[in-house]
Amino acid sequence: SLPGGARPGSPGPSRPGPRVAVVEAQADRELAAYVLARTSLRRSGRDLRCVRRAYVVGPTELLYRHAQRLWVEVRMGPAREHGSFAGPVSRKIFDDFVEAHEAWSLHPDVEVLCGGGPLELAGEDGHYLAPALFSATWPTPELPMAGPMLVITQCSSEQARAAAEAAVREGGQVVAVGARPKQYPGDARLVRGALLVERLPPG
């Protein structure tokens, strides 16, 4: 089979596989949090390339603190509003997000770092969502995900590599913070320094 689930001779581009993030033990935790926010919350999680699962090797406390600040302070609103990072979602994404958020929140192996939910913006039509952030123990529960949400799993190097390999086998990609070249399979996107500063979310 071809990457992304395409069949030989099938017309058009194939749907991309899962995109996951890996944060190495030596990676700067603040940089990692910004990378996760950028890759996860873009377009309110509507982008097929967004990251919804992150695997962290080593300590997580500092990463959680930085990520929580970003998730709370990120501005959701219409594209015409200065500083808005993401806009409205469809009714289906809205409903799927609410259902998925409840499933993650109630799971015994999951901690809610930032609770998401509906937003009411004055004078605006459409559906807006505050992003959700979860932490989980390995192995990450197989629960539905939709809209602006991310689950961070603390794990070992071997477990992170296993998760990365699984994503690549499904036609996905790895975003690796602090990793070495060729450390992860496929067309891994490596982030080793403050290279994304000009592309980070407001707040």
Side-chain angles (χ1 to χ4, degrees):
S1 63
L2 299 179
R7 297 185 302 275
S10 60
S14 60
R15 183 183 178 89
R19 198 175 192 214
V20 302
V22 175
V23 178
E24 290 295 319
Q26 69 273 15
D28 180 273
R29 269 26 193 174
E30 184 173 14
L31 172 64
Y34 274 98
V35 172
L36 293 179
R38 180 67 196 179
T39 56
S40 176
L41 302 182
R42 180 182 180 189
R43 298 183 66 217
S44 288
R46 291 177 290 126
D47 195 323
L48 294 178
R49 300 166 298 167
C50 75
V51 168
R52 289 205 172 95
R53 296 175 186 266
Y55 301 90
V56 180
V57 180
T60 55
E61 183 180 354
L62 183 58
L63 174 65
Y64 288 163
R65 289 209 304 269
H66 285 302
Q68 285 173 307
R69 175 178 58 83
L70 290 170
W71 255 249
V72 169
E73 294 180 358
V74 68
R75 292 182 61 184
M76 300 295 192
R80 66 179 180 275
E81 181 180 321
H82 177 71
S84 290
F85 184 56
V89 299
S90 68
R91 182 71 202 193
K92 176 172 175 28
I93 292 178
F94 180 92
D95 291 340
D96 289 347
F97 174 91
V98 172
E99 182 177 343
H101 190 284
E102 182 179 15
W104 283 96
S105 300
L106 296 177
H107 196 283
D109 296 327
V110 173
E111 179 183 355
V112 180
L113 298 178
C114 284
L119 286 175
E120 293 185 9
L121 302 183
E124 290 296 334
D125 295 325
H127 306 289
Y128 292 85
L129 293 167
L133 180 65
F134 305 101
S135 66
T137 57
W138 180 270
T140 312
E142 290 298 328
L143 296 172
M145 305 199 81
M149 59 174 55
L150 174 74
V151 56
I152 300 175
T153 300
Q154 185 177 25
C155 61
S156 67
S157 297
E158 293 75 17
Q159 291 165 339
R161 182 168 183 83
E165 291 174 344
V168 171
R169 281 197 302 270
E170 295 179 37
Q173 186 190 36
V174 180
V175 178
V177 185
R180 301 183 304 276
K182 299 183 179 180
Q183 183 174 348
Y184 289 99
D187 182 25
R189 180 183 178 190
L190 304 182
V191 182
R192 295 186 59 83
L195 304 179
L196 303 180
V197 172
E198 76 285 358
R199 300 168 59 190
L200 298 179

